[in-house]
Amino acid sequence: MLIGVPKEIKNHEYRVGMVPASVQELTSRGHQVVVETNAGEGIGFSDDDYRAAGASIAASAEAVFAEAEMIVKVKEPQAVERKMLRPGQLLFTYLHLAPDPEQTHDLIASGATCIAYETVTSDKGGLPLLAPMSEVAGRMSIQAGAACLEKSKQGRGVLLGGVPGVEPAKVVIIGGGVVGSNAARMAVGMGAQVVVLDRSVDVLRRLVAEFGTSIQTVYSSKASLEAHVLSADLVIGGVLIPGAAAPKLVTAEMVKQMKPGAVVVDVAIDQGGCFETSRATTHQEPTYIVDDVVHYCVANMPGGVARTSTLALNNATLPHILALADLGWQEAIRRDKHLANGLNVHNGQITCAEVAEALGLEYAPYNA
């Protein structure tokens, strides 16, 4: 198979779909890989590094899309990239379609087959291609939130861990999954007062087993959520419903009642966000203010630590890339029901039930 790796073009996105080591795995099996020039430059991989791994270098994204049978990316294709997709071409990347009707309609119109990292599952019920970026984003949420609490960033002027004689900041984490547990690790390490809310008692038990009395776990109800959000210095939104739009758990009215200078970091923004006041921002302009509350809603948070993120993502995606290349996508998803769950768009139809429901579109299940 001929696999193409274009350079990412989203604002301040330096990650790349495949690193040279991943390319070498494919070329050693007889596949061809074409990489857009300077695709890995932002994380320290040169065109010569890719050539040494057996790739050819294309002068433009247009050349990559025109040649490749499978496109491997990181972020959802931007409008100019979607125009380059063609019927029968395979796209393997993050899509996050539920809150993005424009992208969804473009992918339907393209005729391409689109497999989304974020809906590929595992035999343990997890999301293995989303997990590494959720780990990164969860950890980054605390350092981003801590910075936003500084007075110069319009925050409360509070040090997350406090100092002797001065109490630490209160960090409230909504959702105890991969994002939440990683955020908790960082917040505990920085000495904050940490509260994690979740609706799964099993998740709360797991957090207690890991953190003991270093955190407070609370069953998430409307009453408990409101009480803790209103008393927080920093709130992390880490709620995810696979494939679907994130629920708006923190209302605009609750935000209005938060402490002036408090900070919210909405890690769920790729799926629409779990704060009613959230809208996607970029690394270039990461924050905005609503009712004196600082909102950090960067839609590609892991792109800020692009080298770490790319390496972690490649570790997870490479086995699937190899399966798709070796077997072809039809046979690969026939053999692997978890990879099949990643199929979101095929032959001009939505093949993911959650996406179809979120956007009010017809669901057309694919039968392998």
Side-chain angles (χ1 to χ4, degrees):
M1 183 180 284
L2 177 53
I3 299 100
V5 183
K7 185 175 182 177
E8 298 293 325
I9 59 173
K10 193 163 185 173
N11 180 274
H12 281 279
E13 182 55 77
Y14 305 105
R15 290 174 291 179
V16 63
M18 283 197 290
V19 297
S22 298
V23 170
Q24 187 174 9
E25 291 290 325
L26 284 160
T27 57
S28 69
R29 295 180 182 223
H31 300 292
Q32 296 174 274
V33 181
V34 57
V35 179
E36 184 180 352
T37 185
N38 298 325
E41 184 179 44
I43 57 170
F45 294 118
S46 68
D47 287 352
D48 285 341
D49 293 328
Y50 282 102
R51 288 190 185 98
S56 60
I57 303 299
S60 66
E62 289 82 359
V64 172
F65 277 83
E67 288 185 55
E69 299 167 74
M70 173 166 63
I71 297 290
V72 177
K73 282 177 43 63
V74 178
K75 288 307 292 176
E76 70 279 358
Q78 304 301 290
V80 66
E81 295 174 309
R82 299 195 292 268
K83 291 177 181 178
M84 293 187 277
L85 290 166
R86 63 179 187 271
Q89 195 169 41
L90 178 63
L91 174 66
F92 192 38
T93 189
Y94 287 116
L95 293 177
H96 299 291
L97 295 179
D100 194 346
E102 183 179 350
Q103 182 198 176
T104 304
H105 289 297
D106 284 351
L107 294 182
I108 289 170
S110 75
T113 296
C114 307
I115 299 177
Y117 293 162
E118 73 274 7
T119 60
V120 174
T121 56
S122 72
D123 56 5
K124 296 179 180 178
L127 301 170
L129 306 193
L130 189 62
M133 297 305 92
S134 296
E135 290 169 345
V136 171
R139 295 178 184 218
M140 285 187 72
S141 69
I142 298 300
Q143 63 188 47
C148 290
L149 278 169
E150 295 174 15
K151 196 65 182 176
S152 62
K153 309 281 178 57
Q154 298 181 277
R156 297 195 69 228
V158 173
L159 182 65
L160 210 64
V163 292
V166 179
E167 65 183 6
K170 179 177 179 178
V171 177
V172 173
I173 300 169
I174 306 172
V178 178
V179 167
S181 58
N182 278 272
R185 287 184 194 107
M186 294 293 284
V188 167
M190 294 177 75
Q193 176 194 353
V194 181
V195 177
V196 183
L197 296 106
D198 201 285
R199 300 201 75 145
S200 167
V201 175
D202 287 339
V203 167
L204 299 177
R205 286 194 182 107
R206 174 178 55 76
L207 291 169
V208 169
E210 178 177 355
F211 294 103
T213 56
S214 298
I215 68 170
Q216 180 183 353
T217 59
V218 177
Y219 184 83
S220 184
S221 64
K222 288 184 179 180
S224 64
L225 181 68
E226 181 171 356
H228 285 286
V229 165
L230 298 193
S231 63
D233 298 295
L234 170 60
V235 182
I236 307 297
V239 177
L240 173 71
I241 300 174
K248 303 294 186 185
L249 298 179
V250 179
T251 66
E253 184 59 33
M254 289 164 66
V255 170
K256 190 179 294 186
Q257 296 177 61
M258 289 177 68
K259 298 176 183 177
V263 175
V264 301
V265 178
D266 198 342
V267 184
I269 194 64
D270 277 318
Q271 293 293 127
C274 58
F275 297 84
E276 199 171 43
T277 48
S278 289
R279 56 177 173 81
T281 61
T282 67
H283 286 290
Q284 188 170 338
E285 296 182 25
T287 63
Y288 60 92
I289 310 295
V290 175
D291 293 321
D292 295 323
V293 174
V294 181
H295 288 59
Y296 181 101
C297 303
V298 175
N300 59 328
M301 283 180 66
V305 287
R307 186 177 176 94
T308 296
S309 297
T310 297
L311 292 169
L313 180 60
N314 268 229
N315 291 343
T317 58
L318 181 59
H320 297 292
I321 295 170
L322 292 173
L324 291 165
D326 288 346
L327 302 172
W329 73 266
Q330 295 98 330
E331 181 63 16
I333 69 170
R334 189 188 70 79
R335 295 190 188 188
D336 185 348
K337 65 181 180 181
H338 300 296
L339 180 58
N341 288 333
L343 187 65
N344 277 213
V345 180
H346 171 61
N347 198 27
Q349 296 178 301
I350 297 296
T351 55
C352 176
E354 292 81 4
V355 170
E357 181 179 357
L359 295 175
L361 298 172
E362 185 178 349
Y363 168 51
Y366 176 79
N367 296 311

